[in-house]
Amino acid sequence: MKSMKKILSCVTALTLSAVMLSACGSDSSDGSEETSSEATASVASSSDAAAEENENAVDPNVPVNLDEGITDKMYNRALMNEGDTSRLAAAMKKAENGEEITVGVIGGSITQGSLASNQNNCYASKFFSWWSEKFPECSINTVNAGIGGTDSYLGVHRVDEQLLSQNPDVVIVEFSVNDTDKTMNKYSYDSLVRKILSAENNPAVILLFTTQEDGTSLQDVHKEIGFAYDLPMISYREAVYPEVAAGTLAWTDISPDNIHPNDIGHDMIGQLLGRYLDSVYENKDSADEPEAFTVEGVTNDYYKNARLVNASEITAVSSEGFEVGQNTVYSQFTDNWITTSGGTISFEVECQNLGIFFLKTTDGSSGTYEVYVDGQRKGLLEADFSGGWGNYGYPKQVVLAKDTEKHTVEIKPAEGSEDKGITILSLMIS
């Protein structure tokens, strides 16, 4: 909201300049009254926005009292867009009628619940609780598709199997900390959101923006998608970061590290979501009927048909040193290609875009592997994560193209890694 208001302020200044230049540089009066009127309206609108921003600005002399919960200012800053509420209202009416509904979340470790003292204290569980408490006579199914260390690029490839297969009525999308590439992740986030919105049962989508301690977040990129599709957008970043920056809230009170909320932080996210849902519930009967999603894409929707392909779905054309097995990190990703001491494996695939999802490990046993597509070296799979925070899956894009073609893909050790291992969790096809 803050950046939008800055834009409005700039527009105000430009508008005033244009009016002054018009008055000085033209003797014609044709249309001058209309132009002047439009300029006045623009200035008034911008002034209202600036006034609203000032009303919600942090008072550096008033510390945040966490015992009292989120303040009106925090909520107003966090609500970046109320959005089209028709799908949310429809889900609420369905639940109120006693029909079974499913609510889900997809994101990274924050959505997974990392560093909450227990699963019941994470924001996702608080979001689920709002529905069960508001509609006690309704059967509420829940799906938490949060996986630590993952971004929207992997998310768009796994969302069908791990979330949309459950036909959710409402979905929260949270990737603003794990998404870091302003170009690639804009593509993947757009396709992920579009894929959810395009599901046959018309699920409602809420965009949740989180933050690192220093304010780092890709919300400015993600909100472009949200505004384009008029989606509800709730920013935990805008609620807490201005307070942290002003010294009215200590980051250590809401997080034990530089990213993940503690129980208090998760509860604040839950409060923001609950307050927004309450407002939608109060006006649900006046909401429009939901419609199928037909809005033109913000990007080229590169990952429209993205999916993960594992060893149960495709057989390697050739393999030396690799075996099909199960990794020890994720239960969600099965039937992997694994080698512990070097080897080469190749596939034939037909796709427009291609990625390799592989495991990074901290024990020093993994090496660096090269990826060749149609004989051309396309990238490195750097699986050694010695000294890192833990083993995790990493998605590496190797092909992004305009057309679908057949490709030969070969994965083999780089120089110096001939005796090192790697786990290929799956191919990423779109």
Side-chain angles (χ1 to χ4, degrees):
M1 181 179 289
K2 186 176 295 183
S3 60
M4 286 294 291
K5 289 169 182 172
K6 287 181 179 178
I7 293 172
L8 285 172
S9 297
C10 293
V11 170
T12 300
L14 290 172
T15 302
L16 287 170
S17 298
V19 171
M20 293 174 66
L21 289 171
S22 176
C24 294
S26 175
D27 294 330
S28 173
S29 61
D30 293 343
S32 60
E33 292 183 1
E34 180 179 350
T35 302
S36 176
S37 176
E38 290 174 352
T40 301
S42 176
V43 171
S45 175
S46 300
S47 298
D48 291 342
E52 183 182 354
E53 181 178 6
N54 290 334
E55 288 177 1
N56 296 317
V58 175
D59 185 340
N61 299 311
V62 181
V64 174
N65 187 336
L66 293 172
D67 293 333
E68 295 180 356
I70 61 169
T71 65
D72 289 345
K73 288 184 177 182
M74 295 171 78
Y75 176 74
N76 290 337
R77 291 197 304 267
L79 185 58
M80 299 185 73
N81 192 42
E82 180 180 352
D84 180 351
T85 63
S86 59
R87 291 189 174 192
L88 265 175
M92 293 177 182
K93 292 175 186 178
K94 184 177 177 181
E96 198 164 55
N97 291 334
E99 300 178 54
E100 183 177 2
I101 69 166
T102 298
V103 291
V105 292
I106 186 168
S109 55
I110 294 176
T111 293
Q112 186 179 13
S114 295
L115 300 191
S117 61
N118 61 68
Q119 196 62 30
N120 290 331
N121 289 333
C122 73
Y123 92 79
S125 293
K126 295 179 181 297
F127 172 65
F128 298 153
S129 294
W130 184 91
W131 291 88
S132 58
E133 292 170 6
K134 182 68 71 174
F135 308 104
E137 303 302 319
C138 174
S139 177
I140 310 289
N141 302 312
T142 62
V143 183
N144 188 329
I147 299 180
T150 66
D151 63 2
S152 64
Y153 174 55
L154 180 62
V156 72
H157 286 81
R158 66 182 178 88
V159 67
D160 284 305
E161 180 179 352
Q162 298 178 2
L163 178 59
L164 295 182
S165 61
Q166 306 299 312
N167 295 315
D169 296 277
V170 182
V171 174
I172 287 179
V173 178
E174 178 271 316
F175 281 111
S176 53
V177 165
N178 287 13
D179 276 4
T180 57
D181 190 310
K182 292 183 178 181
T183 300
M184 176 185 169
N185 286 137
K186 182 175 181 178
Y187 293 153
S188 60
Y189 191 83
D190 185 27
S191 287
L192 171 62
V193 171
R194 291 182 62 81
K195 183 177 280 197
I196 300 171
L197 289 170
S198 299
E200 290 184 3
N201 62 318
N202 293 335
V205 174
I206 300 172
L207 305 185
L208 173 63
F209 305 142
T210 50
T211 185
Q212 295 188 38
E213 180 179 4
D214 62 1
T216 298
S217 172
L218 212 67
Q219 75 167 28
D220 283 347
V221 173
H222 290 169
K223 73 181 183 183
E224 294 180 43
I225 311 300
F227 280 122
Y229 306 144
D230 196 19
L231 299 177
M233 291 187 283
I234 308 293
S235 176
Y236 176 63
R237 181 195 187 281
E238 296 307 310
V240 300
Y241 180 68
E243 304 285 353
V244 173
T248 56
L249 174 66
W251 178 263
T252 53
D253 287 339
I254 59 175
S255 173
D257 62 12
N258 67 324
I259 295 177
H260 303 89
N262 59 15
D263 286 356
I264 295 174
H266 276 286
D267 186 62
M268 293 175 75
I269 297 175
Q271 291 179 53
L272 294 172
L273 293 170
R275 185 161 171 176
Y276 174 71
L277 292 172
D278 283 338
S279 69
V280 176
Y281 179 79
E282 291 173 2
N283 299 287
K284 68 182 186 306
D285 292 330
S286 60
D288 296 331
E289 289 297 315
E291 299 179 354
F293 180 69
T294 58
V295 183
E296 185 177 348
V298 175
T299 67
N300 291 329
D301 202 4
Y302 283 108
Y303 309 107
K304 179 179 180 179
N305 299 312
R307 62 191 181 96
L308 298 176
V309 178
N310 62 19
S312 69
E313 300 173 80
I314 185 172
T315 302
V317 174
S318 64
S319 176
E320 180 181 348
F322 280 84
E323 294 183 354
V324 175
Q326 177 58 42
N327 75 89
T328 59
V329 178
Y330 300 107
S331 60
Q332 301 97 325
F333 307 110
T334 59
D335 300 309
N336 318 128
W337 297 278
I338 303 172
T339 180
T340 58
S341 56
T344 301
I345 190 168
S346 62
F347 307 91
E348 288 185 354
V349 297
E350 185 173 2
C351 62
Q352 178 180 348
N353 313 300
L354 174 68
I356 310 294
F357 183 38
F358 66 99
L359 201 61
K360 286 179 173 281
T361 64
T362 61
D363 61 5
S365 65
S366 299
T368 298
Y369 279 65
E370 298 176 319
V371 181
Y372 288 82
V373 178
D374 302 328
Q376 295 185 350
R377 186 174 176 273
K378 290 294 187 178
L380 294 176
L381 310 180
E382 298 174 304
D384 181 30
F385 193 49
S386 297
W389 51 264
N391 300 335
Y392 74 104
Y394 185 83
K396 173 72 173 182
Q397 182 168 261
V398 293
V399 175
L400 181 67
K402 294 181 179 180
D403 302 313
T404 297
E405 298 181 13
K406 290 183 178 181
H407 298 287
T408 298
V409 182
E410 184 180 27
I411 301 172
K412 60 184 181 181
E415 184 177 354
S417 292
E418 291 85 356
D419 61 344
K420 296 289 187 177
I422 193 170
T423 296
I424 307 297
L425 296 168
S426 61
L427 304 182
M428 307 172 70
I429 304 293
S430 59

